Amino acid sequence: MTAVGAMGILICMLAYPFAVRRHGGLRLAVFSGLLLAHLATAIFYYVWQQTNTSDAPLYYYDQYGFYGRGFGFSTIFVIYFVQYLRDLIGGTYLDYFLLFQATGFWAVIFMMRMFEEIYEDLGVHQPLWTYAILFLPSLHFWTSPIGKDGPLVLAAAMAAWGTINITRRWPILAFAFIVMVCFRPHIALIGLSSLAFALVLDKRNSMRVRVALIATVVFGLAAVAGTLRSTFSVDVTSAGSVSDFFATQAQTAQLFDTGSAVLNASFPVRLVSLLVRPFFLDAGSALGLLASFENLLVATMLITFVAKFKLFRDSFQRVLFFRYAAIFSAIVLLLLAMVYYNVGLGLRQRTMAFPTLLVMFVTMWALLAKMRPTLISAPA
């Protein structure tokens, strides 16, 4: 490890002042545990990918010479970014794992901050389990290597945090969408569309404010649509172009079928597979068993959303960040299910929706805790 890797660790440590509103022994312990867990996972991934398939070598070694062909978005952006940094400051293969894992760690810290804000603003005690879910394996494993996943999960978490107080945090929100554009432009399109829908349905703001915010979002949508067209040759205003894009994704899926695919399954089966597979019986390995335990939480979240539907509906109607989180999560998961074909890839890609899913789950439990004294004291 050189100074480049040390810089990645330092970037993680600098997150502590932001992580919490009030400092204390518990919060420091949680932060330290998260940092150690994420660093250990990054090193584990570095070792693991030596004998397993990974995109990391493509980004660091640029075997096909993409860097010399000029700037671009998505995969090309990651290659360009890594190669530019290598020319500028050097660094080993491990260094760039440690550098990129900092984005995933900051994503977890944004979620930690959101959970604390939700409970403090509602004036109820924050339970320990809300800290425990920050140790979910996927949040650390898939966001620790060189690649797109860490920055994208960070952008998703930043956008969710920004919508909690959009009038003050709009620069953070704008930066989150810029990051999405760089790493996966279509996710930026989903994020901006989700925000537009959330704002249209928000009746608390004056018409002038709503029009100004929506106009800004529409301008962003137009810019991202142009990026998608130049990067992926997808015209989002054309149903045929979008259909061809999904057909291409399906053909790619068939080329890379690894035996755990559901290529010919119906859409509901694909969606359920995306959400809760593997689930113990089809785990197949120690990592699969670990993912199965994680999927218990995913199943619990879904059951909670259905069982407490009235609270979910009321939160959706009244709270902007909850509404944004619900729309973003739904669109991401539905679109991923459309091109879903492999359990491993599903586990990786659905992580983009974890910040918004988890913030909804935590919000609902915080609201239930807020309502509990009222429910207990209410006459039979």
Side-chain angles (χ1 to χ4, degrees), residues 180-255:
M180 292 180 189
V181 168
C182 292
F183 289 89
R184 281 199 182 120
H186 58 287
I187 301 301
L189 186 67
I190 293 171
L192 284 165
S193 300
S194 301
L195 182 59
F197 284 124
L199 290 170
V200 166
L201 296 173
D202 191 352
K203 298 179 180 179
R204 296 175 305 164
N205 293 324
S206 67
M207 183 58 68
R208 180 181 298 178
V209 172
R210 289 165 65 189
V211 169
L213 290 171
I214 292 169
T216 303
V217 172
V218 169
F219 177 79
L221 280 169
V224 173
T227 301
L228 272 172
R229 187 165 189 169
S230 63
T231 304
F232 298 112
S233 298
V234 180
D235 182 1
V236 296
T237 64
S238 167
S241 179
V242 174
S243 177
D244 290 344
F245 174 75
F246 281 112
T248 301
Q249 296 300 305
Q251 292 171 3
T252 303
Q254 295 178 20
L255 293 175

Side-chain angles (χ1 to χ4, degrees), residues 263-292:
L263 287 170
N264 299 316
S266 63
F267 179 78
V269 172
R270 287 172 179 247
L271 181 59
V272 171
S273 296
L274 173 69
L275 292 171
V276 297
R277 286 189 65 191
F279 203 74
F280 298 106
L281 293 178
D282 62 342
S285 66
L287 289 177
L289 187 62
L290 193 62
S292 297

